[in-house]
Amino acid sequence: MARPRGFCEEEALDKALDLFWRHGYEGASIAALTEAMGINRPSMYATFGNKEELFRKALDRYVSIKNAIFEKALAEPTGRDVVRHLLRKAAEMMTEPGHPVGCLAVQGAISCSDESEPVRQELIRIRRGHEQQIRDRFAEEQAAGRLPPGTNPEDLAMLLATIANGMSIQASTGATREQLLTVAENASRAWPQTETAVTDTAAAE
């Protein structure tokens, strides 16, 4: 019979995720990963595959967390509420004590070399998928008459993504949670909406 593994795969994967999040894909060496995970190279390769496969498995765990946040945010009654929910949760997640700052999907794609292009493209694909969800949600806002005439849902989705990505950069360079929450609040207050949206929010409350 095969001998059971002497480590918890989920715990090891969480430690790999933490290292990738802190240092990016290329900044996390195999030696550093195996040390952080508490396993040797043969065990890592046997359980998780090569470095890229390990990263993709760690990324899946990260995305599952973000998807849960997105689902709750998209259920908010108006676009402005969606923006407030997403940006506030982003500020909290990016500055959570004991966790890496910023956003893995943003920071991990910035420093990839040509050799790591498949990883960069995967991170871009994930971000674009979230942007598509936002575009679809804002299109619903537009159809319901909760956005001012002439407002483009695609432009708003790009604006929101740019604000969130900028918050990630700010977090990685020392911005506090309070500062990022202020950014989130100011962005939501300035978000375009019609009187119909205001009425919908009041009814939801």
Side-chain angles (χ1 to χ4, degrees):
M1 294 178 63
R3 294 177 62 186
R5 295 190 178 98
F7 64 93
C8 175
E9 292 184 25
E10 289 190 358
E11 290 181 3
L13 195 56
D14 283 339
K15 290 175 181 177
L17 170 58
D18 184 89
L19 199 69
F20 282 128
W21 196 342
R22 291 181 189 278
H23 301 289
Y25 176 74
E26 293 190 345
S29 67
I30 293 293
L33 284 164
T34 53
E35 181 179 358
M37 297 165 75
I39 60 177
N40 56 32
R41 290 192 182 205
S43 292
M44 190 198 85
Y45 290 132
T47 307
F48 302 106
N50 61 25
K51 180 180 175 181
E52 182 176 332
E53 291 171 324
L54 172 62
F55 179 79
R56 290 178 184 276
K57 288 181 173 68
L59 186 60
D60 285 344
R61 290 180 71 82
Y62 178 80
V63 169
S64 67
I65 296 171
K66 296 202 73 173
N67 284 345
I69 294 173
F70 260 76
E71 289 176 6
K72 290 183 178 179
L74 295 175
E76 294 284 356
T78 71
R80 178 173 291 184
D81 295 321
V82 170
V83 170
R84 179 179 287 110
H85 188 124
L86 277 178
L87 294 183
R88 286 187 63 85
K89 288 298 182 182
E92 294 169 2
M93 187 175 178
M94 291 173 185
T95 58
E96 185 175 355
H99 288 271
V101 296
C103 173
L104 171 63
V106 173
Q107 293 166 208
I110 292 175
S111 58
C112 285
S113 64
D114 292 343
E115 290 76 12
S116 303
E117 182 63 17
V119 170
R120 190 176 77 88
Q121 289 300 324
E122 177 66 12
L123 293 170
I124 291 173
R125 183 192 67 78
I126 290 169
R127 293 208 315 273
R128 286 179 175 170
H130 286 145
E131 288 178 27
Q132 182 61 57
Q133 289 180 279
I134 294 296
R135 282 197 296 272
D136 293 343
R137 181 65 179 80
F138 289 161
E140 294 175 5
E141 289 290 288
Q142 186 179 50
R146 292 192 289 263
L147 289 177
T151 303
N152 187 325
E154 184 173 355
D155 292 343
L156 286 182
M158 176 63 74
L159 175 58
L160 178 57
T162 301
I163 294 171
N165 293 345
M167 288 171 62
S168 175
I169 300 299
Q170 292 284 2
S172 67
T173 55
T176 66
R177 174 173 293 192
E178 289 70 23
Q179 289 173 322
L180 295 183
L181 287 173
T182 297
V183 171
E185 188 60 31
N186 287 336
S188 62
R189 286 178 181 173
W191 209 255
Q193 64 177 4
T194 63
E195 290 300 321
T196 299
V198 174
T199 302
D200 288 348
T201 298
E205 296 175 348

